[in-house]
Amino acid sequence: MRGSRMNPGGRRTRSTMTIVIVMGLCCFFYILGAWQKSGTGRGDSIALRVNQETDCTILPNLHFETHHSISGANPLIMTNKVIEPCHIRYSDYTPCQDQNRAMAFPRENMTYRERHCPSENEKLHCLIPAPKGYVTPFPWPKSRDYVPYANAPYKSLTVEKAVQNWIQFQGDVFKFPGGGTMFPNGASAYLEELASIIPLADGTIRTALDTGCGVASFGAYLMDRNILTMSFAPRDSHEAQVQFALERGVPAVIGVLGTIKLPYPSRSFDMAHCSRCLIPWESDGGMYMMEVDRVLRPGAYWILSGPPINWNKYYQTWKKSKQDAEEDQRRIENIAEMLCWDKIYEKEDIAIWQKKANSHLCHQMNGHASKMCKAQDADDVWYKNMESCITPPGEPAQLKKFPERLSAIPPRILEGHALGVTEEDYEEDNKLWKKHVNTYKRVNKLIGSSRYRNIMDMNAGLGSFAAALDSPMSWVMNVVPTISERNTLGIIYERGLIGIYHDWCEAFSTYPRTYDLIHGYGIFSLYQNKCDVEDILLEMDRILRPEGAVILRDSVDVLNKVRSTVSGMRWKSKLLDHEDGPHVPEKILISVKEYWVGSEEENSS
């Protein structure tokens, strides 16, 4: 009986204890949760790790350092199409300057050396492999003088140009002594002679054009004087001239003076140069000199060293009669006079002309009205035929000396010639890109160092990305797409930067693996419904070095589509929020290309 009387009380006690325990546990887990959320508890580490793996502001396992220098990264797993590697024979494939396709075009006026891009059904839909043994190039400035043999394994120039001191083969590297056909004492001595006539040291000369550049030693040594040179040469029997230039860390593109206008705006360069470039300047009524005149600023210089200068000494070596050699130079002199260029120097193998700062009066006095080009826009040049006519002289731009030129408001904007761009737009653009570049540097601390020497901006706008990035350790190829609403490349050149027109539905005029970092702002939105995303990405992959980096800034929908494609391209990628927070629809996609090389066994259609 006693036991039966105690049971109800025991049950009540156990119920009370249960309630107390449950409440205690609830309080404990509530406090624990708050503690973990504060970020101070060790128990938060697992949750934090999971959050980091999905947080678009963190970059786990993105390795920006190189691991294959001379002295990997695994792509994110996504269930998307895997793009296979091309056969190793395509390791130096340049789609629009393919040797086999070129031979089907006329030799006259170098037509066959111009851009001839593959049709849609001829395009390779595979990844261009690096050659076996490929390594990261030497950092600048060592790269100016040495290139790993495995990266451009072509020895023909070491034989053909042996006596001219262009290039030497030493063990597993090429050495570039700085020599050239017309500067046997080295590029430095050659530039010293030019500097006695042309102001190369005070920032007056900032942008130069080197036609038929060889291995670009002229441009390489001008960098010591803070001068950027756009060098070009055809893909011809001298293997890989432009590839050597880019391996050295010098701006260069595959190109030729043929029948199509150069892909640069008018009044872009402070100086143009030809050192035995073998361009027939006197032919076609002076058409090639007229094209150089188009891209030279008022007051700019043209340097010609080599044939036909000093014809009296060399005419027999050139296998010409004395009369023909003399006539060639006389015709060049006459064309220069017609263009209102003043000859300011001639000594031995070098002649220098200066374009008049204001040639309006000269052209009027010489009655050149009938020789003036009829086209209204001298900057509309993409696939436009070159003409034997004189580009009407513009007003001489009041450019500041570099580096002040970089941030000063460009004359095209001040004078109202840049449609849709005001002074306020320019200032705001500069501020915006300083902010963006600071973000990039926080994500990748190697930006601005020698890790990224050759940089490309696929949609350069006003050039503010390159201006904010300005570093002696790197240079930027500013690309203005031909379909852009605003033609801003002239502004970019007036800032003391270099660049080129291009249509990203086609391949770029360069060899594979020639850029360390590629930046693209809104490039895929710009080309929506114009050409396939995959084609543009494959071209980016072709020109990007193994372990090179890509920074894309675009809308989140566009970047998600891009990310799904690159997941099958041996790229490792991560999506980041905009600097102003996750609610901004514009995002940033950071990618790193995996290191891999081709093999004979791998093949693709």
Side-chain angles (χ1 to χ4, degrees):
M1 182 179 293
R2 184 178 176 182
S4 64
R5 286 198 301 267
M6 292 296 295
N7 283 341
R11 286 193 295 271
R12 286 194 297 271
T13 301
R14 285 194 295 273
S15 298
T16 302
M17 291 178 63
T18 300
I19 293 171
V20 170
I21 291 171
V22 171
M23 291 180 65
L25 287 171
C26 288
C27 291
F28 171 76
F29 284 115
Y30 176 82
I31 294 170
L32 179 63
W35 183 43
Q36 289 183 340
K37 190 174 182 180
S38 70
T40 59
R42 291 184 59 191
D44 189 47
S45 60
I46 296 175
L48 179 61
R49 191 161 63 246
V50 172
N51 287 340
Q52 284 180 339
E53 289 172 359
T54 57
D55 186 352
C56 64
T57 62
I58 304 295
L59 298 175
N61 305 318
L62 270 186
H63 303 297
F64 297 107
E65 298 84 358
T66 59
H67 303 283
H68 297 85
S69 61
I70 199 166
S71 27
N74 294 321
L76 295 180
I77 299 173
M78 298 178 71
T79 56
N80 289 97
K81 172 184 175 183
V82 174
I83 300 176
E84 299 295 335
C86 304
H87 192 278
I88 188 64
R89 67 174 175 269
Y90 292 109
S91 62
D92 284 329
Y93 182 54
T94 55
C96 295
Q97 286 88 11
D98 179 65
Q99 292 282 65
N100 294 328
R101 185 179 298 105
M103 300 312 293
F105 290 87
R107 299 295 185 95
E108 185 181 2
N109 284 359
M110 297 290 282
T111 301
Y112 75 118
R113 295 294 186 198
E114 293 183 314
R115 287 175 58 86
H116 303 291
C117 298
S119 60
E120 192 63 36
N121 61 355
E122 293 178 304
K123 289 182 179 178
L124 294 180
H125 292 279
C126 50
L127 303 174
I128 301 298
K132 185 179 179 181
Y134 178 88
V135 294
T136 303
F138 295 110
W140 183 266
K142 185 177 180 180
S143 66
R144 185 189 71 179
D145 302 326
Y146 296 95
V147 166
Y149 169 74
N151 291 13
Y154 306 112
K155 295 183 182 178
S156 64
L157 278 178
T158 65
V159 178
E160 292 182 33
K161 303 296 182 181
V163 298
Q164 296 164 10
N165 220 21
W166 275 28
I167 181 173
Q168 300 167 0
F169 180 61
Q170 298 182 351
D172 57 355
V173 300
F174 289 111
K175 181 180 179 181
F176 296 84
T181 308
M182 300 313 301
F183 31 98
N185 297 321
S188 292
Y190 180 78
L191 290 176
E192 282 299 320
E193 181 173 359
L194 298 184
S196 67
I197 309 300
I198 301 172
L200 298 181
D202 66 354
T204 299
I205 305 297
R206 167 61 178 175
T207 56
L209 179 70
D210 192 11
T211 57
C213 65
V215 295
S217 289
F218 179 76
Y221 280 80
L222 276 175
M223 284 184 160
D224 291 342
R225 301 167 186 264
N226 209 15
I227 295 172
L228 279 177
T229 305
M230 176 63 77
S231 300
F232 71 83
R235 178 165 186 161
D236 61 6
S237 56
H238 298 324
E239 291 175 313
Q241 294 177 92
V242 167
Q243 189 174 17
F244 278 130
L246 287 154
E247 285 292 323
R248 297 175 73 184
V250 181
V253 293
I254 302 172
V256 65
L257 271 168
T259 65
I260 304 299
K261 291 183 179 181
L262 295 173
Y264 315 112
S266 60
R267 306 187 308 280
S268 297
F269 296 99
D270 302 312
M271 178 171 69
H273 174 255
C274 162
S275 172
R276 196 175 172 81
C277 61
L278 304 181
I279 294 170
W281 296 110
E282 71 284 355
S283 65
D284 291 296
M287 181 172 70
Y288 298 137
M289 289 179 67
M290 291 171 175
E291 179 63 1
V292 170
D293 178 74
R294 182 184 68 82
V295 299
L296 284 180
R297 291 197 178 100
Y301 300 87
W302 186 54
I303 304 154
L304 177 60
S305 62
I309 306 303
N310 207 0
W311 57 268
N312 196 42
K313 179 179 179 180
Y314 294 114
Y315 71 91
Q316 290 179 319
T317 305
W318 300 336
K319 297 181 180 179
K320 284 198 169 191
S321 69
K322 190 173 184 178
Q323 293 75 18
D324 286 346
E326 183 180 13
E327 177 64 14
D328 286 346
Q329 178 160 351
R330 188 186 65 78
R331 290 167 67 189
I332 286 176
E333 303 273 10
N334 290 341
I335 295 165
E337 184 179 353
M338 178 179 65
L339 293 172
C340 295
W341 297 359
D342 295 323
K343 190 174 186 180
I344 60 174
Y345 181 80
E346 182 175 352
K347 184 179 180 182
E348 296 181 347
D349 301 339
I350 300 175
I352 303 174
W353 286 263
Q354 185 175 18
K355 183 175 178 177
K356 288 185 182 295
N358 191 332
S359 58
H360 286 283
L361 183 60
C362 169
H363 286 300
Q364 289 171 2
M365 289 177 59
N366 293 332
H368 290 165
S370 61
K371 297 184 177 71
M372 292 294 171
C373 298
K374 301 299 187 287
Q376 297 298 309
D377 187 357
D379 296 349
D380 182 16
V381 295
W382 187 246
Y383 284 127
K384 295 294 193 302
N385 288 328
M386 212 180 294
E387 301 174 89
S388 296
C389 60
I390 304 171
T391 302
E395 295 299 325
Q398 300 302 311
L399 288 174
K400 295 184 180 296
K401 295 181 179 181
F402 198 85
E404 290 80 11
R405 189 187 298 185
L406 186 63
S407 54
I409 298 174
R412 275 174 163 89
I413 296 177
L414 284 173
E415 296 163 7
H417 299 317
L419 296 179
V421 184
T422 64
E423 295 178 36
E424 292 75 19
D425 293 334
Y426 176 77
E427 298 289 1
E428 285 300 315
D429 196 67
N430 275 330
K431 291 178 184 176
L432 179 65
W433 281 102
K434 285 178 183 178
K435 172 182 168 182
H436 289 340
V437 169
N438 284 336
T439 298
Y440 300 157
K441 288 181 176 180
R442 286 197 300 272
V443 172
N444 183 350
K445 299 186 185 302
L446 297 174
I447 292 175
S449 73
S450 61
R451 171 67 183 86
Y452 301 116
R453 172 67 181 170
N454 303 353
I455 299 176
M456 173 179 284
D457 192 0
M458 296 176 69
N459 187 18
L462 301 179
S464 298
F465 165 80
L469 200 61
D470 184 47
S471 166
M473 303 309 295
S474 62
W475 57 269
V476 179
M477 180 68 76
N478 292 282
V479 180
V480 173
T482 56
I483 66 170
S484 295
E485 290 185 4
R486 301 187 304 187
N487 183 351
T488 55
L489 193 53
I491 293 171
I492 289 169
Y493 272 95
E494 287 183 340
R495 300 188 71 171
L497 303 168
I498 58 172
I500 194 168
Y501 294 115
H502 184 64
D503 182 355
W504 285 110
C505 290
E506 300 180 357
F508 194 75
S509 292
T510 191
Y511 286 83
R513 302 172 302 280
T514 46
Y515 286 88
D516 305 297
L517 173 66
I518 298 176
H519 176 260
Y521 169 57
I523 192 71
F524 290 97
S525 288
L526 180 65
Y527 276 91
Q528 274 188 326
N529 305 318
K530 300 291 191 304
C531 47
D532 193 80
V533 168
E534 183 178 300
D535 286 345
I536 298 176
L537 286 168
L538 284 173
E539 176 59 10
M540 292 170 65
D541 182 83
R542 185 184 74 86
I543 67 178
L544 182 67
R545 295 191 190 279
E547 298 184 308
V550 174
I551 303 174
L552 298 174
R553 184 182 285 268
D554 217 314
S555 70
V556 64
D557 292 339
V558 169
L559 290 184
N560 276 329
K561 184 177 180 181
V562 169
R563 193 180 180 202
S564 69
T565 302
V566 302
S567 66
M569 288 175 51
R570 306 191 186 198
W571 290 15
K572 186 178 61 168
S573 301
K574 192 70 179 178
L575 199 64
L576 282 71
D577 282 327
H578 189 277
E579 297 93 337
D580 295 337
H583 299 298
V584 180
E586 182 178 285
K587 305 293 180 184
I588 307 168
L589 185 69
I590 306 290
S591 300
V592 177
K593 179 178 175 179
E594 181 184 358
Y595 177 91
W596 64 280
V597 298
S599 67
E600 293 291 341
E601 290 73 28
E602 290 180 319
N603 198 0
S604 180
S605 60

